[in-house]
């Protein structure tokens, strides 16, 4: 018979194999949306992603990418496998961690030592409990999502798992020398984890509690509090050191360069050498004086720094200025800003302003340093805004500078316009939104069930019925009800651990709280996010899964206690273990379809379609992660359309990114721009306020205006309250002389639009302040002189088009800037010839029509909307031009590549109905109308009795109204009457 130790290892590896196979079968074959495209591109060429970076993840990704053996289309798959392997190891160490804690439970029950040889029944109980907990977490919603894509959270979870397991293992080691080596290993693992994600650091306070329980034979409440306090201090020290070490290095660097006259980087090198020397001296001194504790602590610090040294990759690779080089952290000054995440907004934690606050004054904050010819100089100061005392409060939860967030705060809190929130409102937002909506809802997704994959979807309860659900919700692949069985089993695990191993319960509980509620309080979520943020709290779900595993022990005890009353009934663990094992099996079966990303390619195809919407050597303005990162992947990894220069407006307000735009990359020349670094460096022209000057009220020449900005001309400057001068926008009207000869040479104006070509283009940009990206875009337009095609992504927010829509020509997924304005084209003019060729011959739709492939809301959003809207705009233009055959081809092709069976019809498809009538295909029009009206009827009926965010009543009412009008115009009286009755019924209900 196998010994328990060997059986524990073998079953652990079996669970690892199950997780590995599961994730390998469901892993995405290419780059997913969000950060994955950026991480894959950065891994493949060791480039610099968004701060604070993930150098260890990138280096491992680079190694895995070599397994593609030169097939560039397989690079993404192999880098995704980094998360697959790391996540499978997470499950392995979770199994062993639950095993350790279960052994401690049994040791308490039998007054024996953990790790003793167990009876066969107890061995099966320990192994079974560990397997149930580990497998439940394997198939949990959030962890499975992160395990099958090239994001850092799978590997971050691995470091959390191995550090926690190593700490519990250390707790059992009696030999002090061996135990100290484990502490050093733990420090090294923590240092390595910094090179992946900082989430792993959150667990440190609880680990000091394990140390306290082991070292003190009679722990007390206040002793535990002090242990946690020490852990928090260590966490604060490490967290401060990550940006603090570069900051201290810069102080030494600045002194060496500015005061002593040393060359650049000399001070940084001296600081590193001094730090190494100090640690080395301390180690030697501690050995000579036999200071074991000090020696262990210094070795732990040394190995933590060795792990942290993975960030050398950032400094080295940034020095080569690769195409993706966010923040350009090539020297200690920029590296400090990179580690500080200076490009992101920060919110006060303990005391600060609320969303109604307006600054009453400002003062100079920290200086902004710049590397000059032979020294570092101060170019500006960060502003520190001063608020009235009534505009600030303790523990502020309701503050954000995002444009629409104040209105969202008011809606969530029921505040009238101008009404100030109270502390009660502040705390209500904390409990109802931040803790409930942004954490508890996610916990229940994983262990109770999820309503759907629509953003804002709630969780399901055992009594949640499918009886009155609309079809789209019933068939939503993410609609999974676990009947709270995993959740209830975890509650039993909490109870049994609290009763029998209270120190372990406190430790796991604090780990659970630190990675969940405490993390949410620290992050201070705003009232809306770009996407669901459940992946942030994956550590919290990890520790909840530990209780889930321990819940099997509680179930066994419970069943044993009941059966004990019936002496004639034999009790066997296997039955209870088998029943508990059905829980992760159920989670696997129910969740497989909405986690299987096999054959899903459209994130990359969407990027290729966007790039193919641009003419050769084009400049494409995009915004946000999902518009940009897939484009970066397509260009950097697969080498697709590298002639197009992608300009991300979210980054175009930073000096380092503008500098990158001003150099050639691959086949793309530097963007045309006249402004120099002095005009767009940090703090310069961040906001150009509108301040009308009477002399140019009717319009100002754009080229002349840019030249005045470049010269810092007082003619377009006004003083600030600080006494400094700032550039302004002096007119709401801009005009740009057109070089007709350059336009003729480019040959991009269609013959039909040639009569509209004038000597000057003039438009009203509006009485609004310009942001730096707006100013840079205007500079490009003025400087380009029609030599390169300039495009705006069709996914941009309206304000980014600079009110140029009537000068834009739609050619696919992007608008091209034209020197002609088409009358009435308020949403751009459709060039049917160019766009037909693009949409019908230059687009990619791999597996988009496959109903077996899972497409979540990320895909059903901008990718599908952009595609269907492009087909609709093209169809409409072809109908206007009388090209009915081509219009029919476009509609048929759209419905072929994006059928309802794989991508359910949305509001845009409702507009296909009148188009189908127009091309004399009434049968297809009515079939489509029947499908959409039936669904809208179901959705609106459901919306009357549910608070679900699954469907928007306004959207469904729009669908009904559009179809009714289309049938009326097409002279379909029967269909009109049928659909109008449904429309009027719901219109009254939602008046």
């Amino acid at each position: 018979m196998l010994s328990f130790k060997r059986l524990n290892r073998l079953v652990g590896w079996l669970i690892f194999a199950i997780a590995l196979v599961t994730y390998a079968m469901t892993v995405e074959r290419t780059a997913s949306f969000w950060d994955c495209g950026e991480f894959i591109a950065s891994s493949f060429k060791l480039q610099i992603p968004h701060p604070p970076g993930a150098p260890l993840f990138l280096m491992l990704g680079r190694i895995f990418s070599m397994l593609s053996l030169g097939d560039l289309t397989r690079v993404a798959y192999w880098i995704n496998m980094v998360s697959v392997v790391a996540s499978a190891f997470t499950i392995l160490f979770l199994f062993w961690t639950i095993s350790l804690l279960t052994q401690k439970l049994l040791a308490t029950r039998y007054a024996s030592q953990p790790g003793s040889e167990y009876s066969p029944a107890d061995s099966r109980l320990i192994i079974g409990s560990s397997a149930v907990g580990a497998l439940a977490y394997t198939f949990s919603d959030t962890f499975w999502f992160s395990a099958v894509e090239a994001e850092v959270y799978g590997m971050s979870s691995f470091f959390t798992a191995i550090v926690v397991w190593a700490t519990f293992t250390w707790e059992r080691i009696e030999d002090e020398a061996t135990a100290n080596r484990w502490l050093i290993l733990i420090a090294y693992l923590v240092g390595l984890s910094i090179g992946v994600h900082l989430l792993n650091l959150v667990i440190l306070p609880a680990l000091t509690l394990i140390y306290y329980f082991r070292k003190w034979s009679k722990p007390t409440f206040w002793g535990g509090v002090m242990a946690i306090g020490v852990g928090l201090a260590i966490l604060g020290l490490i967290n401060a050191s990550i940006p603090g070490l570069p900051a201290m290095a810069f102080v030494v660097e600045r002194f060496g360069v500015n005061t002593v006259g040393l060359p650049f980087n000399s001070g940084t090198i001296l600081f590193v050498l001094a730090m190494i020397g100090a640690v080395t001296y301390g180690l030697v001194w501690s050995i000579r004086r036999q200071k074991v504790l000090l020696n262990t602590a210094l070795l732990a610090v040394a190995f933590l720094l060795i792990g942290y040294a993975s960030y050398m990759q950032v400094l080295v690779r940034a020095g080569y200025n690769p195409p993706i080089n966010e923040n350009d952290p090539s020297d200690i000054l920029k590296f400090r800003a990179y580690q500080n995440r200076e490009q992101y907004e920060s919110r006060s934690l303990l005391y600060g302003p609320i969303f109604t606050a307006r600054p009453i004054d400002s003062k100079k904050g920290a200086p902004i340093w710049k590397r000059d010819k032979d020294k570092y100089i101060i170019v500006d100061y960060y502003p520190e805004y001063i608020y009235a005392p009534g505009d600030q409060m303790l523990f502020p939860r309701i503050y954000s500078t995002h444009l629409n967030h104040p209105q969202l705060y008011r809606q969530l809190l029921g505040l009238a316009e101008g009404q100030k929130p109270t502390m009660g409102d502040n705390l209500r937002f904390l409990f109802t939104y931040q803790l409930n909506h942004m954490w508890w809802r996610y916990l229940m997704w994983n262990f109770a069930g999820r309503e759907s994959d629509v953003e804002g979807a709630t969780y399901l309860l055992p009594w949640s019925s499918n009886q009155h659900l609309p079809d789209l919700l019933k068939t939503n692949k993410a609609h999974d009800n676990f009947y709270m069985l995993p959740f209830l089993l975890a509650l039993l695990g909490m109870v049994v651990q609290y009763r029998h191993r209270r120190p372990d319960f406190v430790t796991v509980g604090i780990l659970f709280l630190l990675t969940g509620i405490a993390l949410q309080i620290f992050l201070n979520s705003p009232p809306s996010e770009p996407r669901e943020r459940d992946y942030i709290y994956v550590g919290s779900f990890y520790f909840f899964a530990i209780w889930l595993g321990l819940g099997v022990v509680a179930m066994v005890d419970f069943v044993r206690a009941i059966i004990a009353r019936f002496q004639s009934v034999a009790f066997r663990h296997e039955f209870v273990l088998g029943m508990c094992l059905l829980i992760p099996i159920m989670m696997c079966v129910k969740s497989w379809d909405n986690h299987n990303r096999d054959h899903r390619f459209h994130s990359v195809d969407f990027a290729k379609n966007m790039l193919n919407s641009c003419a050769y050597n084009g400049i494409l303005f995009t915004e946000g992660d999902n518009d940009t990162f897939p484009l970066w992947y397509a260009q950097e990894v697969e080498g697709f359309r590298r002639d197009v220069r992608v300009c991300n407006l979210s980054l175009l307000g930073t000096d380092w990114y503008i500098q990158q735009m001003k150099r050639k990359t691959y086949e793309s020349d530097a963007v045309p721009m006249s402004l120099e670094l002095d005009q767009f460096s940090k703090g310069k022209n961040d906001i150009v306020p509108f301040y009308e000057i009477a002399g140019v009220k009717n319009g100002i020449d754009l080229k002349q205006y840019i030249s005045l900005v470049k010269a810092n001309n007082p003619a377009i400057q006004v003083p600030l309250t600080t006494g400094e001068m700032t550039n302004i926008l002096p007119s709401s009207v801009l005009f740009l002389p057109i070089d007709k000869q350059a336009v003729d040479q480019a040959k991009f104006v269609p013959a039909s639009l040639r009569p509209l070509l004038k000597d000057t283009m003039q438009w009203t940009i509006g009485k609004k302040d310009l942001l730096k990206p707006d100013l840079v875009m205007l500079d490009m337009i003025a400087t380009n002189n029609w030599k390169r095609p300039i495009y705006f992504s069709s996914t941009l927010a309206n304000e980014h088009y600079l009110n140029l829509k009537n000068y834009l020509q739609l050619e696919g997924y992007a608008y091209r800037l034209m020197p002609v304005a088409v009358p009435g084209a308020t949403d751009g003019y459709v060039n049917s010839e160019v766009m037909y060729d693009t949409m019908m011959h230059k687009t990619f739709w791999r597996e988009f029509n496959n109903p077996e492939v899972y497409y979540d809301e990320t895909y059903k959003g901008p990718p599908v909307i952009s595609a269907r809207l492009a087909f609709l705009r093209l169809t409409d233009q072809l109908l206007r031009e009388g090209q009915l055959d081509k219009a029919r081809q476009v509609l048929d092709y759209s419905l072929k590549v994006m059928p309802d069976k794989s991508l359910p019809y949305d509001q845009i498809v409702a507009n296909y109905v009148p188009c189908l009538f127009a091309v004399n295909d009434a049968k297809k029009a009515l079939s489509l109308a029947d499908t959409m009206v039936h669904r809208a009827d179901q959705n609106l009926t459901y919306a009357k009795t549910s608070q679900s965010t699954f469907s928007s009543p306004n959207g469904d009412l729009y669908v009904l109204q559009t179809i009714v009008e289309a049938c009326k115009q097409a002279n379909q009286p029967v269909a009109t009457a049928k659909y109008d009755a449904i429309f009027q019924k719901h219109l009254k209900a939602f008046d």
Side-chain angles (χ1 to χ4, degrees), residues 923-943:
K923 181 179 179 181
K924 189 174 289 184
L926 291 174
S927 174
L928 191 152
D930 270 338
T931 300
M932 297 199 70
V933 169
H934 176 68
R935 285 184 185 155
D937 185 21
Q938 286 187 330
N939 293 343
L940 290 167
T941 301
Y942 180 65

Side-chain angles (χ1 to χ4, degrees), residues 325-337:
N325 190 15
E326 297 213 33
N327 288 74
D328 184 24
S330 52
D331 59 44
I332 194 63
L333 179 58
K334 296 174 183 176
F335 183 71
R336 182 187 66 164

